[in-house]
Amino acid sequence: MADNSFSDGVPSESLEAGRDARATETLTDQVMQNPQVLAALQERLDSVSHTPSSYIETLPKAVKRRINALKQLQVKCAHIEAKFYEEVHDLERKYAALYQPLFDKRREFVTGNVEPTDSEAEWHSENEEEDKLAGDMKNKVVIADKEAAAAEEPSPKGIPEFWFTIFRNVDMLSELVQEYDEPILKHLQDIQVKFSEPGQPMSFVLEFHFGPNDYFSNAVLTKTYKMKSEPDKADPFSFEGPEIVDCDGCTIDWKKGKNVTVKTIKKKQKHKGRGTVRTITKQVPNDSFFNFFSPLKASGDGESLDEDSEFTLASDFEIGHFFRERIVPRAVLYFTGEAIEDDDNFEEGEEGEEEELEGDEEGEDEDDAEVNPKQKEPGQPSECKQQ
């Protein structure tokens, strides 16, 4: 039988390899003649050749040396910027003292401890003329009925459910509030922001002042947000202003059977040996706004948090910032809904406009500086104990 492994003295494996090479070359030629393939390849090459890092690598050593010097200057700029934000924080503390008497009077009006004078209660709306004409017409027609109705009209104390209404109006907060939280939040009388004292680490404290209630004995619940305003040693170019890095809550002194942050469940247990079954009760965590005062702690030992924990912590920081920057300074406008309408209008627009507006808003956030707790002033109600 003839041996088929050779043909004219050439091994068959070599013949097959030659045919495969020619087929591959033919296929390559066909692909490279395709305009779409050539365009995609050229685009890929262009993107690689024009990246900043690839460009820097082509520069002479002397130029790279000067770029390193510029980076040194940039780090120094970052440290100066950090000092700038520290002074902004000091300025905020100064002006907080000027705002506080107005916020104190706001609390007196809300709680009904003080009635505003006629001049304090005077407000000219944008539709004042139309309202006046409509009011005059109505007065001429129903003057007698109006006087009778005014005499019978109930006059509640202060502004009922002022802060609770704000919680309902703001989506970020209403999402946290459960139905069983609502009766408690109706006792919320004030929210205040306290800044850290000079020389203390940058931080701010949210104080939630409650009237007497059947749920807990604390007069004030606190949440402290710790800030950092310094470039990261490992990545100094990432510095964009002060940021919240951690927060502490407080212990709520719940009255017996009134803790809404836990719920009691019944669980059956079977004895391994005797086979008998018993029912036990067990307390497990429960969704509640008041978990806000038992925050997740940022990892301080170098270990990273899981994705869900990172999201929870970031949301907590965002809420604290929103209380400090928006809700407390502009509470009446969130009560009436005017601030919410302004926020909605700010976010609307064309796609390109949204990107510019979001950039502006981020820039504003970067200018913020924050705070730490003040010492309790004489006569101030007892606060909850920090955890």
Side-chain angles (χ1 to χ4, degrees), residues 7-294:
S7 178
D8 297 332
V10 180
S12 61
E13 290 86 350
S14 299
L15 292 174
E16 291 178 3
R19 285 196 295 268
D20 290 343
R22 287 193 296 272
T24 301
E25 185 177 352
T26 302
L27 181 60
T28 301
D29 290 341
Q30 292 174 351
V31 170
M32 294 305 293
Q33 291 174 8
N34 187 322
Q36 293 180 337
V37 173
L38 289 174
L41 182 60
Q42 185 62 45
E43 183 179 354
R44 181 70 179 269
L45 291 173
D46 289 345
S47 65
V48 171
S49 61
H50 288 88
T51 57
S53 58
S54 63
Y55 167 69
I56 297 300
E57 290 301 320
T58 65
L59 296 176
K61 288 184 178 180
V63 177
K64 291 180 182 179
R65 180 174 177 275
R66 294 164 196 146
I67 292 173
N68 290 338
L70 294 184
K71 288 184 177 181
Q72 288 274 16
L73 296 177
Q74 191 63 44
V75 171
K76 292 180 180 179
C77 287
H79 283 281
I80 292 174
E81 186 180 7
K83 292 296 182 182
F84 163 77
Y85 284 119
E86 289 180 7
E87 292 199 22
V88 169
H89 177 66
D90 292 337
L91 197 60
E92 281 189 309
R93 184 191 303 111
K94 171 186 174 181
Y95 276 85
L98 302 179
Y99 287 128
Q100 195 55 50
L102 302 179
F103 293 156
D104 290 341
K105 182 169 282 190
R106 177 178 70 186
R107 176 179 179 172
E108 295 298 306
F109 291 163
V110 167
T111 58
N113 291 336
V114 173
E115 188 67 26
T117 64
D118 290 342
S119 61
E120 288 174 329
E122 185 178 358
W123 179 256
H124 301 286
S125 67
E126 294 179 358
N127 302 321
E128 182 178 6
E129 290 301 323
E130 295 179 11
D131 294 342
K132 185 175 184 301
L133 291 173
D136 290 343
M137 292 290 291
K138 186 176 181 180
N139 287 338
K140 291 177 182 178
V141 177
V142 293
I143 185 71
D145 292 341
K146 184 178 179 182
E147 290 177 352
E152 297 175 1
E153 184 181 89
S155 180
K157 186 178 180 181
I159 304 177
E161 301 180 4
F162 178 80
W163 291 99
F164 172 60
T165 300
I166 293 173
F167 271 70
R168 287 190 304 185
N169 288 346
V170 178
D171 289 342
M172 186 185 297
L173 302 181
S174 64
E175 292 173 355
L176 303 177
V177 177
Q178 309 298 319
E179 186 176 352
Y180 38 82
D181 292 328
E182 294 180 1
I184 311 176
L185 289 172
K186 291 178 181 180
H187 293 280
L188 181 58
Q189 296 181 337
D190 197 17
I191 303 176
Q192 297 182 13
V193 179
K194 302 294 184 182
F195 292 88
S196 55
E197 296 288 354
Q200 292 184 345
M202 185 181 291
S203 64
F204 67 95
V205 180
L206 298 177
E207 294 183 350
F208 294 75
H209 295 251
F210 286 84
N213 60 81
D214 297 330
Y215 296 89
F216 49 74
S217 58
N218 309 82
V220 183
L221 302 182
T222 61
K223 182 77 169 281
T224 303
Y225 286 90
K226 301 176 183 179
M227 309 291 297
K228 184 181 77 170
S229 180
E230 61 183 40
D232 191 302
K233 292 181 180 179
D235 185 17
F237 303 130
S238 66
F239 180 73
E240 295 182 347
E243 60 178 342
I244 298 173
V245 294
D246 201 2
C247 56
D248 290 323
C250 68
T251 300
I252 302 178
D253 298 323
W254 295 101
K255 296 180 181 179
K256 187 176 181 179
K258 297 294 186 178
N259 187 350
V260 296
T261 64
V262 295
K263 61 183 176 181
T264 302
I265 61 172
K266 292 183 178 181
K267 187 177 181 180
K268 290 185 178 181
Q269 288 184 337
K270 186 176 181 179
H271 195 280
K272 292 182 179 179
R274 297 191 296 268
T276 56
V277 178
R278 68 174 182 175
T279 301
I280 64 169
T281 58
K282 182 181 179 181
Q283 283 194 333
V284 295
N286 197 26
D287 290 338
S288 169
F289 164 73
F290 290 91
N291 289 323
F292 180 73
F293 299 98
S294 300

